[in-house]
Amino acid sequence: MHRNHNLQDELSELDKKHFLHPTSPIQQQQEHGPAFIFTRGDGIYLYDLSGKKMIDGMSSLWNVNIGHGREELGKVAKEQMSTLAFSSNFATFSNEPAIRLAKKLADISPGDLQSTFFTSGGSEANDTAYKLARHYWILKGQPNRKKIISRTKSYHGVAIGSTSATGLKPFRDFTNSLAPDFLHVNHHSSDSLRELIEKEGPDTIAAFITEPVQGAGGVHIAPLNYFKEVKELCEEYDILFITDEVITGFGRTGTYFGIEHDNIVPDMMCFAKGVTSGYAQLGGVMLSKEIHKGFSDMSTGTLLHGYTYSGHPMACAVALKNIGIIESERLIENSKRMGKELLDGLKAIQQVYPIIGNVRGKGLMGAIEFDNKNTAIPLAPLIVTEAAKRGLICRSVVFDGQDTVVLAPPLIITKEELYQLLNILDDAIKVAKKNM
């Protein structure tokens, strides 16, 4: 333990000096060092350098769907790296894991989604979708179709295009030079979308992009028939319909992909995160049969878009094994069952605390929203701090005046583990409310 204490001090100082953390308060890091230095994961749990055991109530970044410590994925990665760790996929070069994964994705995806452009993650996937949509219209002889419409409270990543598409203003305010031709519309109103399309001119709109459930923006679930109405609008005005399934894909909402709840087939579908459960960096964009045929028929030169790690052999091999585990262990069904238990548990907590204004969830995505009109500061960050003290990782969302705690545990979670999570959350709310 003494050795760990010394190591903790050493690593903390090195962290402060050399590691600029993503999406983290720099001042907090410099004053206190890293909040946790994790050393091991097992199932739904993470363990830090001091041995503290934490329920990973967020699947880390919504992505560790099959849980931590799965040696099967390490074995597959080792085997692939021992034979072909990397090869380029430019100039029509290819490799078997990428080909097999592209075929598997076509098999499990909604409708006629057929072909995949691989990326290293979600931000790249979204940026790729915008570029492919615009290039598609260039090939179709309609180069003025370049505007991308997204929803308020949406999150699409942090590359320059995906930052510009994100409907959370603080992310856009981070930089003083956004990409042009990105528009935002009320996240729950199809009428607002029609008004915006007609105002801008349908022949200037390339695509509409949406998350089936808005994750980082606060787990917002669209009203009944919203996506049906939006898809009809896109068809009416000949606008491409893109779904961002980076968070909602691979079982997170209780179906393979979130848009399946609405029986809608998008023209393009972005994915990442759960495709490998975080064990390797991978994302991509799927194209419908019609869009793929359009590219195949009209493109005569080189498709001048690609990442060094597009179709990375090891990452694709890991993804294939990960999807196999999701299927063989029936984790999508478990997500649906445990998602109902999670929502019921959140509703039970809501009955105890009048300050809770709303609870919501779909599959293993859940949120508690607090009515903070009479409080000086948001309650959610205080709850997250208290939960961490008690062994639970969750997240607060305070964008746009929200005061929300969100949860997204691994899809392997059991009923007993879920009740443990809910008990810690209940206790954290009680203490945070008392200490306000």
Side-chain angles (χ1 to χ4, degrees):
M1 217 45 194
H2 178 67
R3 177 181 172 275
N4 274 359
H5 181 71
N6 290 340
L7 182 59
Q8 177 90 30
D9 290 343
E10 177 194 356
L11 291 177
S12 182
E13 288 306 311
L14 291 173
D15 184 281
K16 288 191 284 186
K17 186 174 181 181
H18 299 294
F19 188 180
L20 186 62
H21 284 247
T23 315
S24 301
I26 297 175
Q27 288 184 343
Q28 178 181 315
Q29 178 211 15
Q30 293 302 308
E31 290 175 14
H32 305 291
F36 295 98
I37 300 176
F38 291 117
T39 58
R40 184 167 68 91
D42 182 19
I44 70 163
Y45 300 101
L46 287 167
Y47 298 82
D48 78 354
L49 195 57
S50 70
K52 186 175 177 64
K53 181 180 179 180
M54 305 288 294
I55 296 175
D56 187 359
M58 285 304 302
S59 299
S60 289
L61 285 174
W62 318 82
N63 63 334
V64 188
N65 287 10
I66 66 169
H68 298 278
R70 302 299 294 253
E71 294 182 1
E72 309 99 300
L73 269 62
K75 182 180 178 183
V76 165
K78 180 178 183 295
E79 289 173 352
Q80 184 60 48
M81 291 175 75
S82 298
T83 53
L84 180 67
F86 175 75
S87 63
S88 167
N89 289 294
F90 287 24
T92 77
F93 295 3
S94 200
N95 66 80
E96 185 173 356
I99 294 168
R100 298 287 184 196
L101 178 59
K103 172 60 167 66
K104 180 64 177 177
L105 290 168
D107 292 343
I108 64 177
S109 296
D112 65 349
L113 289 167
Q114 174 176 294
S115 65
T116 298
F117 185 102
F118 288 111
T119 69
S120 302
S123 292
E124 287 182 359
N126 279 285
D127 267 36
T128 295
Y130 314 143
K131 289 181 72 174
L132 289 179
R134 287 163 170 165
H135 188 63
Y136 176 79
W137 289 116
I138 290 171
L139 293 176
K140 294 266 284 185
Q142 300 182 56
N144 289 333
R145 282 188 177 267
K146 56 187 178 180
K147 295 173 185 173
I148 308 293
I149 301 176
S150 62
R151 300 160 66 201
T152 57
K153 292 186 169 62
S154 64
Y155 177 80
H156 297 293
V158 293
I160 192 63
S162 46
T163 293
S164 303
T166 289
L168 299 166
K169 191 171 180 292
F171 283 92
R172 302 197 305 273
D173 290 345
F174 176 79
T175 178
N176 63 358
S177 182
L178 294 168
D181 298 315
F182 285 89
L183 308 169
H184 304 93
V185 70
N186 182 287
H187 68 139
H188 282 169
S189 170
S190 59
D191 288 339
S192 294
L193 177 60
R194 181 184 290 277
E195 289 171 9
L196 181 61
I197 292 169
E198 292 184 350
K199 175 189 171 188
E200 296 292 328
D203 59 352
T204 70
I205 312 296
F208 171 82
I209 186 165
T210 180
E211 301 158 277
V213 177
Q214 294 182 312
V219 184
H220 294 285
I221 299 165
L224 187 67
N225 292 326
Y226 171 80
F227 288 118
K228 178 176 178 290
E229 293 164 4
V230 165
K231 185 65 162 65
E232 289 173 353
L233 279 174
C234 288
E235 290 175 350
E236 177 183 344
Y237 291 111
D238 204 15
I239 292 167
L240 298 182
F241 184 90
I242 306 171
T243 52
D244 177 349
E245 299 265 7
V246 171
I247 286 175
T248 53
F250 304 95
R252 174 57 59 190
T253 68
T255 55
Y256 234 128
F257 297 93
I259 201 64
E260 291 179 273
H261 289 282
D262 298 273
N263 296 312
I264 287 169
V265 180
D267 298 300
M268 298 185 189
M269 183 175 79
C270 304
F271 66 87
K273 294 189 185 292
V275 69
T276 64
S277 289
Y279 284 71
Q281 300 96 321
L282 185 67
V285 182
M286 295 197 70
L287 309 181
S288 70
K289 185 176 182 179
E290 180 182 350
I291 301 301
H292 184 239
K293 186 176 187 302
F295 276 109
S296 300
D297 291 347
M298 296 182 294
S299 180
T300 56
T302 298
L303 183 71
L304 292 173
H305 180 70
Y307 300 101
T308 298
Y309 298 120
S310 291
H312 191 283
M314 182 275 288
C316 291
V318 168
L320 281 165
K321 184 64 176 178
N322 174 69
I323 292 170
I325 290 172
I326 288 172
E327 293 181 340
S328 65
E329 297 185 5
R330 302 177 68 84
L331 296 185
I332 298 173
E333 293 90 332
N334 194 61
S335 175
K336 185 176 181 179
R337 284 196 309 274
M338 291 302 102
K340 183 180 184 304
E341 296 283 347
L342 174 61
L343 186 56
D344 287 346
L346 296 179
K347 287 178 178 177
I349 292 174
Q350 182 183 23
Q351 298 305 309
V352 179
Y353 303 99
I355 196 172
I356 296 175
N358 177 259
V359 299
R360 52 187 178 267
K362 184 170 280 192
L364 283 171
M365 297 178 73
I368 298 183
E369 185 174 327
F370 297 91
D371 182 357
N372 66 357
K373 293 182 179 65
N374 299 316
T375 59
I377 58 172
L379 183 59
L382 304 178
I383 293 168
V384 169
T385 298
E386 293 298 332
K389 291 177 185 176
R390 290 157 177 78
L392 169 64
I393 297 169
C394 49
R395 180 190 285 193
S396 65
V397 176
V398 294
F399 305 117
D400 298 332
Q402 297 182 84
D403 191 359
T404 301
V405 173
V406 298
L407 293 155
L411 308 191
I412 60 168
I413 196 167
T414 65
K415 186 180 289 189
E416 293 74 21
E417 291 168 337
L418 186 60
Y419 288 165
Q420 183 186 3
L421 179 157
L422 289 166
N423 286 335
I424 294 174
L425 180 63
D426 184 14
D427 192 39
I429 294 171
K430 185 186 305 177
V431 173
K433 187 174 179 296
K434 182 180 178 181
N435 293 340
M436 282 183 68

